[in-house]
Amino acid sequence: MTARMLRLFPGPPEEIALDGAYLAHRLHERGSAGRPLVYASFVASLDGRIALRDPATGESRLPAGLVSGNDFRLFQELQAQADCFVTHGGYLRDLAAGRLDDVLQVGTQEATRDLARWRADNGLAPQPALVIASASLDFPMPDSPARHGQRVVIATGAAAPAERVAQWRAAGHEVLAVGSGASVEGGPLVDELGRRGLRSIYLLTGPRMLDTMMRGHRLSRLYLTTAHRLLGGESFHSMLAGPELGDAGRLRLCALNYDASAPDGTGQFFAHFEPRPA
Ligand SMILES: NC(=O)c1ccc[n+]([C@@H]2O[C@H](COP(=O)([O-])OP(=O)(O)OC[C@H]3O[C@@H](n4cnc5c(N)ncnc54)[C@H](OP(=O)(O)O)[C@@H]3O)[C@@H](O)[C@H]2O)c1
């Protein structure tokens, strides 16, 4: 049976199909080369955790009760609308260690062939370009981007280790310095990607990248799934790293949907927000 959810806002409550709900946002048409649309998504518990950290080993993990098939479908619909994914060194290390699944391509599984067709019908390249943000530049390059013909760019700061920059360049990779310290800064990264004609940029990243994008006023839209459970845990990650954000953190609710079925009958909210207009 096709999954349904209840749209609670805007307008009077209405039951809608879950499949296609995010494709209808047409994010690829909302950005321009001068002002790319930058979007991020998170799934969080009611107590604001996006991941738990093992206090003994320091290793982080996504707790099983946070994610659901319906949330993953909507995540893939967001992926389908991207010209470009931004990932990072930490994800590539987790991927190589088998701690996380490979989500660097879209529409490659039988269940998501419709998304590959949707990209073709909407004039998007078969796969988004890939930007890897890293300050350390110490990560393994996965082989899936080359297999799928994805353009890969490494982004770092001007103070990143010079010998590693040289190593990646010698291996044939483009390395961009977009930040004055060791880290990537949101504004310079987005400006550079816009100059390359990328209009919809999906941040498959975490708290640090969200922080720099928010401080730089470069995030256009934030998608948030809230799983209706409390996680607890003494050591955890929330959506944002860094000092208090102040007014740059004010967001306006654009839509709120309620999925009563998933993940285990407790339900979840799907919301998206945009920065408050200046
Ligand atoms: N529930 C969710 O929706 C959700 C979403 C995202 C993440 N998570 C989870 O939350 C935990 C923490 O997320 P995270 O791993 O993304 O943590 P993070 O501390 O934001 O980023 C980790 C790594 O990304 C690179 N990085 C991030 N921002 C950068 C920048 N501005 N410039 C240069 N490099 C940058 C760095 O790599 P280098 O060390 O190579 O320099 C850094 O070590 C993880 O367990 C993750 O799986 C959950």
Side-chain angles (χ1 to χ4, degrees):
M1 203 178 73
T2 325
R4 316 278 299 168
M5 60 183 177
L6 194 61
R7 189 180 62 212
L8 298 174
F9 179 84
E14 187 189 355
E15 203 180 87
I16 60 170
L18 185 126
D19 284 19
Y22 278 4
L23 287 179
H25 294 180
R26 306 197 65 78
L27 301 174
H28 61 298
E29 293 173 346
R30 288 175 176 262
S32 63
R35 187 82 194 173
L37 183 106
V38 180
Y39 58 109
S41 69
F42 286 87
V43 52
S45 62
L46 284 172
D47 48 343
R49 273 95 164 132
I50 64 160
L52 296 180
R53 203 191 278 116
D54 184 324
T57 63
E59 228 169 69
S60 299
R61 65 185 166 85
L62 287 179
L66 263 196
V67 286
S68 73
N70 286 352
D71 175 63
F72 193 56
R73 166 67 197 189
L74 293 179
F75 166 78
Q76 290 170 317
E77 292 193 3
L78 294 178
Q79 287 195 307
Q81 300 170 66
D83 272 340
C84 170
F85 292 160
V86 180
T87 182
H88 62 46
Y91 172 74
L92 298 184
R93 291 189 292 270
D94 282 343
L95 185 61
R99 287 190 287 270
L100 293 175
D101 294 331
D102 191 339
V103 291
L104 298 175
Q105 289 80 38
V106 60
T108 54
Q109 309 289 320
E110 198 44 49
T112 54
R113 295 278 178 235
D114 65 311
L115 298 177
R117 277 194 303 277
W118 189 92
R119 284 182 71 85
D121 292 347
N122 285 278
L124 287 153
Q127 293 297 333
L130 197 63
V131 173
I132 301 167
S134 176
S136 69
L137 293 179
D138 185 12
F139 57 82
M141 183 63 75
D143 58 9
S144 66
R147 270 192 280 114
H148 291 277
Q150 272 169 300
R151 177 156 59 124
V152 178
V153 174
I154 297 169
T156 191
E163 69 287 1
R164 292 225 169 97
V165 172
Q167 279 166 12
W168 283 115
R169 287 190 174 139
H173 293 286
E174 186 178 9
V175 182
L176 297 176
V178 277
S180 50
S183 292
V184 171
E185 287 164 27
L189 174 65
V190 174
D191 289 345
E192 185 56 43
L193 299 181
R195 278 193 284 278
R196 287 152 190 258
L198 299 166
R199 297 153 303 157
S200 52
I201 299 171
Y202 189 8
L203 304 178
L204 304 178
T205 46
R208 278 182 53 195
M209 187 57 76
L210 183 66
D211 187 81
T212 181
M213 289 291 173
M214 291 301 296
R215 279 178 210 284
H217 300 276
R218 292 312 178 102
L219 193 84
S220 316
R221 194 176 270 207
L222 176 66
Y223 286 87
L224 175 62
T225 297
T226 307
H228 294 173
R229 64 179 297 154
L230 297 165
L231 276 177
E234 282 158 6
S235 186
F236 58 88
H237 297 269
S238 78
M239 282 163 57
L240 213 54
E244 223 176 287
L245 197 52
D247 262 2
R250 295 183 73 120
L251 298 166
R252 182 181 65 84
L253 178 69
C254 303
L256 177 64
N257 297 299
Y258 174 50
D259 169 18
S261 68
D264 51 11
T266 52
Q268 57 195 335
F269 287 142
F270 299 118
H272 71 270
F273 302 84
E274 289 183 353
R276 192 184 62 154

